[in-house]
Amino acid sequence: MSQLRVSCFSISLDGFAAGPEQSLENPMGINGLENQDWQFATATFQQRVLGQEGGETGPDDNFVARGFENVGAWIMGRNMFGPVRGPWPDESWQGWWGDNPPFNMPVFVLTHHPRDPVEMPDGTTFYFVTEGIHAALERAREAAGDRDVRLGGGVATVQQYLRAQLVDELHLAVTPILLGAGEHLFAGLDMRALGYRCTERVATEKVTHLVLRRSAARAN
């Protein structure tokens, strides 16, 4: 069976993955983009997300590249898709990424409000799932086939899948900054009791990479 993976999920030293008050001007909340500086600088991000040449190679880039390997579908929460809340006012918002999102595959967006799929010219299709996390995972796995499913943000979405013990691998990138407020990844979570253990640690000049995996049996 394909695995459900969280890759390149950046958190600050004080545990925040995003700052407060997400908006068009602050897509990851106030000061939240500081968490992503390490990733923006990599060659893989420059090429896969921005469509540009250049960028840094090395361990940080290797982790970003790993995040794209063997992925056949994505799941994300509505906050990652955009800042629109409540019922969809119209069909104009099609994500943060413009006409060429970096996914090039099916993306399943968790929401409480139905919407028709959005098909983009690059091969990305956004499907809006109102039946919950298990339904989204089932559909994503069907779309991915024998490849893995990558779980994006936001924090609330990742927390739901962690609580349900559905995440097989969680790659955290701990950045040397303090956000002070925002969305805290581990709030209300007992990762040890959920069966997660750190299996890999790589420290670079900009960030510390931690890979957590869930054991088959829950820890006491």
Side-chain angles (χ1 to χ4, degrees):
M1 180 181 294
S2 66
Q3 294 196 332
L4 180 63
R5 295 158 37 200
V6 179
S7 302
C8 302
F9 198 84
S10 299
I11 61 172
S12 62
L13 276 176
D14 46 354
F16 295 99
E21 301 180 33
Q22 184 195 42
S23 65
L24 282 172
E25 295 75 22
N26 295 291
M28 298 197 68
I30 296 172
N31 300 322
L33 284 177
E34 294 179 15
N35 259 352
Q36 306 298 329
D37 285 345
W38 73 272
Q39 187 171 188
F40 295 160
T42 64
T44 297
F45 189 92
Q46 291 293 316
Q47 179 181 356
R48 291 292 300 265
V49 180
L50 301 181
Q52 300 176 357
E53 299 299 324
E56 300 174 1
T57 58
D60 290 336
D61 184 60
N62 293 341
F63 272 100
V64 177
R66 275 172 56 172
F68 287 101
E69 292 174 356
N70 196 43
V71 174
W74 280 66
I75 298 171
M76 66 176 63
R78 185 166 172 179
N79 284 12
M80 182 173 173
F81 182 72
V84 182
R85 302 292 183 264
W88 301 98
D90 52 47
E91 302 292 310
S92 60
W93 183 263
Q94 297 186 344
W96 297 104
W97 307 275
D99 292 334
N100 294 292
F103 308 106
N104 311 115
M105 63 185 66
V107 179
F108 297 87
V109 181
L110 290 161
T111 177
H112 296 295
H113 302 279
R115 180 176 172 179
D116 291 335
V118 176
E119 187 173 348
M120 308 299 288
D122 72 332
T124 299
T125 300
F126 294 105
Y127 298 95
F128 300 90
V129 182
T130 59
E131 298 86 3
I133 63 171
H134 292 87
L137 181 56
E138 182 178 352
R139 291 181 60 182
R141 280 187 165 146
E142 181 178 357
D146 59 356
R147 291 180 292 172
D148 292 340
V149 176
R150 180 166 169 176
L151 176 63
V155 168
T157 297
V158 174
Q159 285 180 333
Q160 288 182 71
Y161 279 98
L162 287 171
R163 287 194 182 96
Q165 296 178 294
L166 294 171
V167 177
D168 298 292
E169 181 180 283
L170 171 64
H171 164 220
L172 298 174
V174 183
T175 64
I177 66 170
L178 299 169
L179 287 182
E183 299 183 27
H184 200 288
L185 177 62
F186 295 120
L189 290 179
D190 185 340
M191 295 294 287
R192 184 182 182 93
L194 290 171
Y196 290 93
R197 297 290 184 272
C198 183
T199 59
E200 187 177 353
R201 179 178 64 86
V202 176
T204 71
E205 182 179 349
K206 295 183 177 181
V207 70
T208 299
H209 299 278
L210 303 170
V211 177
L212 280 62
R213 294 194 61 87
R214 190 178 67 84
S215 58
R218 286 185 59 177
N220 296 318

